[in-house]
Amino acid sequence: MKRAARILAGAERVLVSSGAGMSKESGIPTFRDAMEGLWANFDPQALATEAGFRTNPRRVWSWYAWRRERVGDARPNPGHVALAEMESLIPGLVVVTQNVDGLHREAGSTDVVELHGNIRRVKCLDHGHAYDGPLPPFAEGEEQDPPPCLVCGSPLRPDVVWFGEMLPADAVERAWNLAERCHALLLIGTSGTVWPAAELPLVARRHGGLVIEINPEPSELTHAADVFLEGPAGVVLPELRDAVRAALG
Ligand code: OAD
């Protein structure tokens, strides 16, 4: 913890790269955690691909509507809050996240790059027309059809990146620039199995950045970590914030 704090206290530019484990203490299940992961009960090909949506728009729309409700009820956890507070200690801190829940911003982080979109937004399937009007309420156990786009009539879909889709180009460009230039990368709660996001710590290392990882268990990227802080983000991050504050004097 002391070594991690010293690295962060001495770093001008810090890139945070977060995954599903970051929001676990907010009650949002991770993707790959055995038993309770979101995918344990569902087939990802059927729910998180364009082909799956075109085959069964009602089921896929309803599944995302259900997830959107859960995210809507979720609140930032002490880890999100500690990270937002670290901005006052390390002004050059930017968050790049694979999460689609928007909780970093809600906690107060001011510079957040979303690599996989945001589940609170929707757009149309055929042309990507943005839609920011009201959505019909969704009751647990219900199924509903996706509403039509007001511009072209094609069905609305969640504005998240599905398997086989490109990540938003501006987000990727910014994230890779930040990784190349950061002095330290703080990797939080990701299994490191989904590319290209998993490459960020490797990019940082290639350019001389140090990698600090927070995870209750080793991930596919632990081999690339200079410091591994074992434990849940909601517990470790508040301790790390205090340690950085102490290191700064
Ligand atoms: P995963 O579900 O693959 O991995 C979650 C990670 O969080 C694991 O390494 C856990 O050990 C760790 N973890 C669990 N509890 C934690 C806690 N309390 N604090 C910190 N870490 C904890 O999630 P991601 O790596 O984010 O993509 O998955 C990446 C992408 O896979 C997602 O963004 C999604 C999915 O397909 C898209 O939707 C495009």
Side-chain angles (χ1 to χ4, degrees):
M1 180 63 74
K2 273 195 179 144
R3 181 157 174 239
R6 270 200 307 274
I7 292 171
L8 293 174
E12 217 173 290
R13 289 185 294 276
V14 172
L15 180 59
V16 175
S17 178
S18 70
M22 180 78 225
S23 296
K24 176 129 169 175
E25 278 99 31
S26 293
I28 301 175
T30 66
F31 289 91
R32 255 157 288 271
D33 282 357
M35 309 309 289
E36 54 175 331
L38 283 173
W39 303 128
N41 302 319
F42 299 106
D43 171 13
Q45 294 300 323
L47 294 171
T49 59
E50 183 179 331
F53 185 83
R54 289 194 184 274
T55 306
N56 196 337
R58 188 176 167 83
R59 183 197 301 151
V60 175
W61 172 263
S62 300
W63 188 61
Y64 278 96
W66 172 75
R67 286 184 60 199
R68 193 170 53 240
E69 296 275 318
R70 286 194 71 161
V71 164
D73 291 341
R75 291 291 158 260
N77 65 58
H80 292 107
V81 173
L83 214 45
E85 288 170 355
M86 272 195 226
E87 277 186 21
S88 64
L89 306 172
I90 311 162
L93 183 147
V94 181
V95 178
V96 172
T97 188
Q98 297 172 72
N99 298 343
V100 296
D101 54 37
L103 290 178
H104 281 298
R105 274 207 195 95
E106 206 176 312
S109 285
T110 56
D111 199 351
V112 182
V113 180
E114 291 175 328
L115 283 179
H116 292 168
N118 191 311
I119 199 169
R120 299 174 201 233
R121 287 193 310 259
V122 296
K123 63 182 183 182
C124 82
L125 181 64
D126 289 337
H127 300 101
H129 293 131
Y131 172 84
D132 56 10
L135 290 170
F138 183 81
E140 181 93 40
E142 181 196 20
E143 285 217 333
Q144 62 181 217
D145 289 318
C149 173
L150 297 177
V151 182
C152 68
S154 91
L156 294 178
R157 56 159 281 185
D159 192 359
V160 299
V161 176
W162 280 334
F163 291 111
E165 292 184 328
M166 301 286 285
L167 274 58
D170 49 347
V172 169
E173 194 187 328
R174 178 126 198 268
W176 260 249
N177 271 330
L178 289 163
E180 285 171 10
R181 295 173 56 243
C182 72
H183 300 115
L185 184 141
L186 185 53
L187 184 67
I188 308 169
T190 175
S191 57
T193 51
V194 171
W195 293 74
E199 208 195 339
L200 283 173
L202 308 179
V203 173
R205 264 181 87 88
R206 275 203 298 277
H207 289 79
L210 295 170
V211 176
I212 300 164
E213 181 177 30
I214 299 175
N215 201 309
E217 47 191 83
S219 73
E220 296 291 318
L221 293 168
T222 303
H223 66 89
D226 296 283
V227 184
F228 181 70
L229 300 175
E230 187 180 334
V235 174
V236 175
L237 277 165
E239 288 172 14
L240 186 58
R241 174 206 51 210
D242 293 345
V244 173
R245 197 173 275 145
L248 285 167

